[in-house]
Amino acid sequence: MATHAGHVPHRSASPPKVGGAADRKATRTFRSRRVLPALVAALLLTAAGAAAATQVISTLIGRPVRIADQGRLTTWAATHGWDHWQTLAIAGGLMLLGALLLWAGLLPGRSKLVPLHGEDRDLLVGVARRDLANAAADAAESLLGVGKAGAHVKGRRILLTVRGAGGPALAERVRDAAQRRIDEMAPVPPRTVSVRVKE
């Protein structure tokens, strides 16, 4: 049996690719569902539908319920055509309300959790926005020459404010340390760290 020995090149571990199927699933899962606007819209539509159904059914069986004054509504409808300004104003208001409800339902709200990168679609991990900011602040406070540090997440940026003497050099060291910590956590989408030094 012949064997061959040779040099096996060392492969450095490359960072996992962000944006795969697992990341997209995590982003959708942790997205805010806008429960309150949906609940308000459902209650309003249910109430309007129940009132209309009650009015129609009670009229058909000969015992109309007086939810609305049908005589006045019929008179108003007979004297106001589709081109009347009041009719157009009511129709415009209803269209605007419908567009607002549609906008509230389609656009995602602000999520309380930030998804973290993963390879497994069945394992979804998220971290609170506050905890992501705290991780950056902890990384900054671990450096020599840094006093108190505070951070908050704003969109795709983490704004970090530190107290210490050192000017631009300190700001660069803090940014590098905080960015390394955030990159290790691998939030989706990636976040960049901005640093402001207060002396």
Side-chain angles (χ1 to χ4, degrees):
M1 183 170 86
T3 60
H4 175 72
H7 175 69
V8 178
H10 174 70
R11 289 185 180 178
S12 59
S14 59
K17 181 182 176 185
V18 177
D23 293 344
R24 289 191 295 274
K25 184 176 180 184
T27 303
R28 284 193 306 269
T29 301
F30 294 131
R31 182 175 291 163
S32 171
R33 300 296 179 206
R34 289 202 180 256
V35 175
L36 187 59
L39 181 63
V40 170
L43 289 174
L44 287 175
L45 289 173
T46 302
T54 303
Q55 186 78 40
V56 169
I57 293 170
S58 64
T59 303
L60 287 175
I61 63 174
R63 305 183 79 174
V65 176
R66 297 294 178 191
I67 295 176
D69 189 349
Q70 273 186 294
R72 287 183 63 189
L73 288 176
T74 304
T75 304
W76 187 90
T79 56
H80 293 76
W82 285 108
D83 57 347
H84 194 276
W85 71 269
Q86 288 181 340
T87 309
L88 293 174
I90 292 170
L94 290 174
M95 285 178 57
L96 180 61
L97 178 62
L100 287 174
L101 290 174
L102 186 63
W103 173 79
L106 291 177
L107 289 182
R110 182 181 176 186
S111 175
K112 294 179 181 176
L113 291 177
V114 175
L116 301 182
H117 173 71
E119 298 288 349
D120 188 355
R121 288 171 52 100
D122 297 325
L123 179 63
L124 306 177
V125 181
V127 65
R129 297 168 72 87
R130 181 72 254 166
D131 292 336
L132 195 66
N134 287 342
D138 291 343
E141 288 177 353
S142 68
L143 296 177
L144 189 65
V146 176
K148 186 77 175 161
H152 67 276
V153 178
K154 187 173 183 181
R156 296 191 178 192
R157 295 172 59 209
I158 298 175
L159 306 178
L160 186 59
T161 304
V162 298
R163 292 193 175 276
L170 178 65
E172 188 65 24
R173 284 196 306 124
V174 167
R175 194 199 72 76
D176 288 344
Q179 190 67 59
R180 270 195 309 272
R181 177 74 58 85
I182 297 303
D183 289 344
E184 287 170 3
M185 297 176 73
V188 179
R191 277 16 183 222
T192 56
V193 178
S194 299
V195 179
R196 185 166 63 114
V197 178
K198 288 184 176 179
E199 298 190 7

